Structures are given as structure tokens and as C-alpha cells.
Amino acid sequence: RVPIAEVIASPQRYGLTAAQVTRYTNAARVRDGLAVNADLSGSETLLWIYRPEAFGGQGRAAVAIGDPDRADDTAVVVPGTSTSVAGGWLTDPDAAFLHRELARTEPGSTHSVIAWMGFDAPDSLVDPRVTEPDLARHGGAALAADVNALASTHLGEDHVTVIGHSYGSTAVADAAAGSGMRADDIVLVGSPGTDLARTAADFNLPEDGRVYVGSASTDPVTAIAGINGTIPLTDLPLLEVGLGADPAADGFGSTRFKAEVPGWTWKLWTEHTGYFDSGSESLYSIADITSGNGELLEDHGMTAPHRDALLGPLGT
């Protein structure tokens, strides 16, 4: 009859180790993630990956909304900075909102959306690792292995889309360009740069596969992505900042879709976190792509112009 909070605060008093408390805490976070996603999506949820002590106790886990072994369309959502199992990211509604949108737009198909917290993301915007690609490259290798494993157990045909947000978009790019990830389409939203992938060709997608990019014009994170291209009249590359080339830039080879946040707010971070908001034009586009209908974006009026190769993020 001792309150849980008291046991966690003083585990030694009750004969528990710090590792046992970590396992308990992360088990509770994953349990909550399964419950929240089931409630928001109205679908079954499955535990796909679980390593509670990984990354110094931050945990490694993934929750699938809908059965990925039987789905017609599977999406893997990869988060960015400030996310972890221990921090409760698995209860974030992004994956559930996408699953709900897919059910609305493609009611005759079966879908699985996987919330993948499978890598060690930077802890915060002031974490010095947020300006380096190391965590993205390590995460990309783990992501590639997990995504490629989906094909081993899937029954029948499947369309696989991997979606990376913020620092997670860099991890997705590195998974495709550096670790042999096999996906049908890629979606990058709020990207600070694509590191190992210089152009869309570096993603090594199937012939009909595409790299799709959602980049709100006032998203401050996308403003640090490097300018893609060369100095005019030379073969010298333009100086890049951030984590690599800007996938929304003209010449990258991507398809950019509309991802603006309606209205105006002085809180620019809203522009960076709103890509999966229910009812947003960004979520509408991501659902088109995830259902294997990315070619309909133009017919639906959802494509957006690329950024100017010389002005970079200023040429929104």
C-alpha cells in the first residue's frame, strides 16, 4: 500500500535497484502509449519493439496501430529532438491522427501506422548533439534494420512509407542513403537537412518511389537546412549549414506538398510541430502519400513550389 511515487523516489528503501525502476517506468510509458493510441485511433495496438534500458534508460520501443503483417499500407513515423520512451513520446497523437486520416480517406484498405521511438534522439534544442549527425546516422542504421524486417513477416503486398519529423527526418535520410533501408516512399517534414543524402536519388527508392517534403515557410528549423546546389558558373558546392541539404530546395528532386499552418502566431514553434495536426493540409497530404496515392497530390491541389536554390529557406 505504498504509493508508487514514493517507491520510485526511494527504490533502495524497498529493495529495488535503479535499473528495476527504469524498467518499471518505461513499461508504464509504453502501456500508456498502447492505450492512448488505441483510444485515439479506434484500432488495435501492438508492441513491436521493446528495450526499456536502452540509451541510458531513455528506452527503445515502437507501437503499431493496426497489424503491420496484414496491412495494405504501412507508415513508420520517426520523431525528432526532445523525444524518448521515458519522456512519454509514445502517447503523442501524431501516429494516431495519421491512422485516423487514412481510415477516413481509404476506408476500403487496411492500414498500420508505427510510432517508432527506436533511436537516441537529442535531448533538447540546447543539446550540443542536435547540431551533429552522429545520432541520426546511428538511428538510421537501426531504423533501416527495423523497416527492412517488416517484409519478413508481412503477408501479401504492402506499400511502406517512412516519415521523419525534424531531427528524425535526418535519421530517415541516413537510413535510406547510408544503411540500405527499403521503402516505397519517403516523407520528410520540418527537416533541418538530409546529411548523407545530397539529392532524392541518394534515397535509393524504387523506380516509382518519391521523396516528399513538407516544409512550412515560417518553420524556423527548416531555415537552418543547407542550400542545395552549386555556385553559379562553377561546380563548387554552395556553403551548407544545419544538417545537410534542404530537401525542399529546387534541384533536390523531391515533391514538396503544402504544409502551412493557418492563421498567424508569434509562437513560431507551432509551425514546426503542426505537421500532423488533425485537419491540416499537411496531414491530408501525408495520408495521400502513405496510401500509395502520392501522384494525386497535384490533382488535389496540394503541391507547393520548391525553394529557390540560391536563396535557400528565404526563397519559400
Side-chain angles (χ1 to χ4, degrees):
R1 299 181 181 179
V2 178
I4 292 173
E6 182 177 328
V7 176
I8 291 175
S10 305
Q12 295 82 5
R13 181 179 176 186
Y14 300 95
L16 298 177
T17 66
Q20 288 173 314
V21 172
T22 294
R23 289 198 298 271
Y24 173 84
T25 301
N26 284 341
R29 295 288 186 270
V30 172
R31 175 202 60 197
D32 293 345
L34 288 163
V36 168
N37 281 291
D39 182 58
L40 289 175
S41 67
S43 180
E44 66 173 340
T45 53
L46 306 167
L47 182 58
W48 188 43
I49 295 168
Y50 185 57
R51 288 183 56 204
E53 294 183 68
F55 313 131
Q58 294 203 67
R60 167 175 154 82
V63 169
I65 306 172
D67 187 352
D69 289 346
R70 292 175 170 79
D72 298 317
D73 306 298
T74 300
V76 181
V77 179
V78 182
T81 298
S82 304
T83 58
S84 67
V85 174
W89 179 77
L90 290 175
T91 61
D92 188 276
D94 289 356
F97 285 169
L98 176 56
H99 191 276
R100 231 165 42 184
E101 185 73 7
L102 285 166
R104 185 186 68 81
T105 58
E106 290 278 320
S109 298
T110 56
H111 312 100
S112 179
V113 180
I114 297 172
W116 188 83
M117 193 64 254
F119 79 123
D120 185 11
D123 293 335
S124 68
L125 291 177
V126 297
D127 184 339
R129 300 176 300 173
V130 79
T131 62
E132 301 292 336
D134 293 351
L135 294 180
R137 294 182 185 184
H138 288 300
L143 176 64
D146 290 344
V147 170
N148 293 349
L150 287 169
S152 300
T153 56
H154 192 272
L155 306 174
E157 297 295 321
D158 187 21
H159 178 268
V160 177
T161 306
V162 183
I163 306 164
H165 174 242
S166 193
Y167 194 91
S169 72
T170 309
V172 169
D174 286 346
S179 294
M181 182 177 70
R182 297 186 297 274
D184 295 296
D185 288 307
I186 298 289
V187 178
L188 308 176
V189 290
S191 180
T194 53
D195 189 31
L196 297 178
R198 307 291 301 175
T199 69
D202 294 331
F203 286 76
N204 302 307
L205 294 174
E207 185 175 351
D208 58 347
R210 297 286 299 170
V211 176
Y212 296 91
V213 179
S215 182
S217 58
T218 52
D219 180 348
V221 172
T222 64
I224 67 172
I227 300 169
N228 185 46
T230 59
I231 297 174
L233 306 178
T234 77
D235 292 327
L236 298 175
L238 288 166
L239 178 66
E240 291 185 353
V241 295
L243 291 171
D246 179 4
D250 187 25
F252 188 87
S254 64
T255 298
R256 186 181 182 189
F257 56 85
K258 293 179 179 178
E260 303 301 325
V261 176
W264 180 91
T265 174
W266 61 272
K267 298 178 180 178
L268 292 182
W269 198 247
T270 301
E271 312 287 354
H272 184 63
T273 59
Y275 291 103
F276 293 90
D277 284 358
S278 185
S280 68
E281 56 186 17
S282 175
L283 184 64
Y284 178 93
S285 298
I286 294 172
D288 255 359
I289 298 161
T290 302
S291 62
N293 295 309
E295 74 281 358
L296 296 179
L297 287 175
E298 187 170 4
D299 293 342
H300 292 167
M302 298 307 294
T303 55
H306 290 97
R307 286 178 168 149
D308 185 275
L310 292 178
L311 296 177
L314 296 177
T316 56

